[in-house]
Amino acid sequence: METNLFQNETRLFEILCHPDALRLGFDDVKKNGGTRGIDGVTIKTFHSKLKEELTQLSQELGSWSYKPKPVRRVEIDKPDGGVRLLGIPCIRDRVVQATLKRILEPILTPHFSDHSFGFIPGRNQTQAVEEAQRIIRSGKEWVVDIDLSKFFDRVNQDRLISRLSGYIDDKRILRVIGLILRSGTMKGGLVIATLEGTVQGSPLSPLLSNVVLDELDKELENRGLEFCRFADDCNLFVKTAKAAERVMAGITQFIEKKLKLVVNQKKSQVARSDKVKFLGMTIVNGHRAISIKSIKRAMDKVKTLTPRGTHTKLEETIKEINKWYRGWSSYYSMTQFPSQLKKIEAHVRRRLRSRLIDQQKSRRNLFNKLVKRGAKKSIVGGVVYSNRKRWALSLTLATSAAYPVKWFAGTLGQFIRSNAKLSHWFEVKVWIRLT
């Protein structure tokens, strides 16, 4: 059904209006999850009357009575300060956008640059970092790191529609996209018109962002520059500092004059590769490494997951650590310095040992506990009755002897293995390693 449905590129609007196509769009929305829009309708509620909803949506699209609702505006804190503005469309509008993405992606993707890795089927962050590594190893160690200021909020909608018209013959599809772009945002009960930008957080925005920035890719290719781009994160590579400064000036002018976007001068830089962060990674002496900032954020995350004075059960804490670390380490496993992962894992264990120490209400209790758990009295006494605080005690031989890696892999591992939601991978990857 899906193959036949999306074959006709000259009747795209009819495909968009087809209930079967909208059903596939809903499947994508359901898979991606997410919260409600301004109408309060959840995915579960929409699904409970799916046939009725899709039939109505099909009729509204076909009769041109469909009108996207304003997106619900939310703000999330950025790791390096400031806030990122996200928009949450209503479920029915997400269904339309997801269907449009299915229709347009096969048409647009073949035209995108091979140097673009973001939001393109079959391409990912690891490939982007590996390509950057390859270019740097070829001798182009100077990086022009371009940061676009509030990219999604500043996309020129007229230029975007104009670019799309070069690939899409069915102008009705362009009209629907125009309605989506101008649907507005709602915050605090007030609707704000959106005369520029594309909503970050909507199903269609990643594809539209690639359409906008493909013009930059083509310009870089015409200039014979080597680069890697993932969404609005773009690095260019040259051999000398002088060439890098020249490229920075020229490309900045193109972005601001031609694309009508803004380069963030404070965050953009010209530097050697080992000083530049790209997708959380840094190329050091030709090797992939987790960036210093990414390591620091991970350490801070571990601290957040293992707070002092908590009444949460240790097993539940491990469950939350497992949930985070599984995803984090899976992404950053592209590092060629395994010691970086070991550093985070050792930090997790130390934080947990510190918590176990804190649970003992007196020095005597702590002494008895460590001895009972197998630590030698001669070692424990000098450690426990010193002036060291819990954090310093967590790194001592006495504490490691009482709570060795085998204890984490055994006693706590039993909980991990018995909990279907947790992964045996975490036990193997984290708890059996020595500090």
Side-chain angles (χ1 to χ4, degrees), residues 81-357:
V83 295
R84 177 177 285 111
L85 298 177
L86 297 182
I88 304 175
C90 297
I91 304 300
R92 67 195 319 266
D93 295 329
R94 299 216 296 264
V95 170
V96 173
Q97 292 188 42
T99 308
L100 278 170
K101 179 176 178 290
R102 276 182 171 263
I103 294 170
L104 300 180
E105 199 168 59
I107 300 172
L108 298 173
T109 297
H111 299 282
F112 293 153
S113 169
D114 291 337
H115 303 283
S116 175
F117 295 88
F119 311 122
I120 297 177
R123 304 184 198 177
N124 55 46
Q125 292 101 319
T126 300
Q127 292 171 343
V129 173
E130 289 176 345
E131 177 63 9
Q133 179 185 26
R134 182 196 67 78
I135 297 171
I136 291 167
R137 282 180 168 178
S138 73
K140 297 184 176 181
E141 297 182 350
W142 282 90
V143 182
V144 179
D145 181 17
I146 298 176
D147 185 273
L148 298 178
S149 177
K150 299 181 180 179
F151 165 70
F152 283 92
D153 296 328
R154 287 181 167 144
V155 166
N156 186 293
Q157 295 179 358
D158 292 336
R159 286 187 60 81
L160 171 56
I161 295 296
S162 176
R163 292 282 295 178
L164 285 170
S165 67
Y167 304 108
I168 301 170
D169 294 329
D170 194 332
K171 305 305 178 185
R172 295 169 297 177
I173 289 291
L174 300 180
R175 181 180 171 187
V176 175
I177 294 174
L179 290 174
I180 292 170
L181 292 174
R182 295 187 293 272
S183 61
T185 64
M186 177 176 285
K187 183 180 179 182
L190 298 176
V191 177
I192 303 172
T194 48
L195 304 179
E196 63 177 359
T198 175
V199 175
Q200 187 173 5
S202 70
L204 193 58
S205 285
L207 181 61
L208 297 182
S209 72
N210 273 332
V211 173
V212 173
L213 292 175
D214 185 63
E215 190 171 359
L216 171 62
D217 296 342
K218 297 296 190 290
E219 178 67 17
L220 297 176
E221 290 172 347
N222 289 338
R223 296 190 186 196
L225 295 169
E226 289 201 84
F227 66 97
C228 293
R229 182 176 66 78
F230 192 96
D232 57 335
D233 196 347
C234 185
N235 279 0
L236 294 72
F237 306 90
V238 295
K239 290 185 176 181
T240 67
K242 186 176 181 180
E245 294 289 355
R246 184 175 64 250
V247 168
M248 173 66 86
I251 296 304
T252 296
Q253 185 177 28
F254 174 82
I255 290 172
E256 297 190 337
K257 299 296 183 183
K258 188 74 179 291
L259 302 186
K260 311 299 182 185
L261 298 170
V262 177
V263 174
N264 188 328
Q265 299 293 343
K266 290 184 179 180
K267 293 186 177 180
S268 298
Q269 63 173 325
V270 167
R272 286 191 178 275
S273 64
D274 59 355
K275 303 296 182 184
V276 176
K277 177 173 68 71
F278 181 53
L279 301 176
M281 303 294 292
T282 300
I283 308 301
V284 181
N285 296 325
H287 295 84
R288 301 186 303 274
I290 305 173
S291 71
I292 294 174
K293 282 188 176 181
S294 296
I295 289 289
K296 184 181 183 304
R297 289 172 187 168
M299 300 288 271
D300 290 342
K301 181 65 175 180
V302 171
K303 185 176 181 180
T304 301
L305 291 171
T306 55
R308 299 184 63 174
T310 179
H311 297 290
T312 304
K313 291 182 179 180
L314 188 62
E315 293 83 358
E316 291 301 316
T317 297
I318 292 174
K319 178 180 177 181
E320 290 303 311
I321 293 172
N322 181 74
K323 181 180 178 181
W324 162 76
Y325 189 75
R326 187 189 301 124
W328 188 90
S329 61
S330 176
Y331 176 80
Y332 285 106
S333 63
M334 74 175 87
T335 179
Q336 293 177 302
F337 297 90
S339 60
Q340 292 186 299
L341 295 176
K342 291 180 181 180
K343 180 179 180 179
I344 301 300
E345 294 160 8
H347 187 57
V348 171
R349 289 192 295 272
R350 186 179 178 186
R351 292 285 303 182
L352 292 176
R353 287 188 179 113
S354 176
R355 174 176 166 179
L356 290 166
I357 290 170

Side-chain angles (χ1 to χ4, degrees), residues 6 15-33 41-43 46-47 50 53-55 57-58 61 66 89-103 176 180 202-204:
F6 291 94
I15 297 174
L16 175 64
C17 296
H18 200 293
D20 289 342
L22 292 170
R23 172 59 192 259
L24 292 172
F26 171 76
D27 290 343
D28 291 339
V29 171
K30 183 181 178 182
K31 180 180 178 180
N32 292 330
V41 176
T42 64
I43 293 176
F46 192 93
H47 193 194
L50 185 60
E53 290 281 5
L54 296 184
T55 299
L57 202 50
S58 174
L61 286 165
Y66 170 72
C90 297
I91 304 300
R92 67 195 319 266
D93 295 329
R94 299 216 296 264
V95 170
V96 173
Q97 292 188 42
T99 308
L100 278 170
K101 179 176 178 290
R102 276 182 171 263
I103 294 170
V176 175
I180 292 170
S202 70
L204 193 58

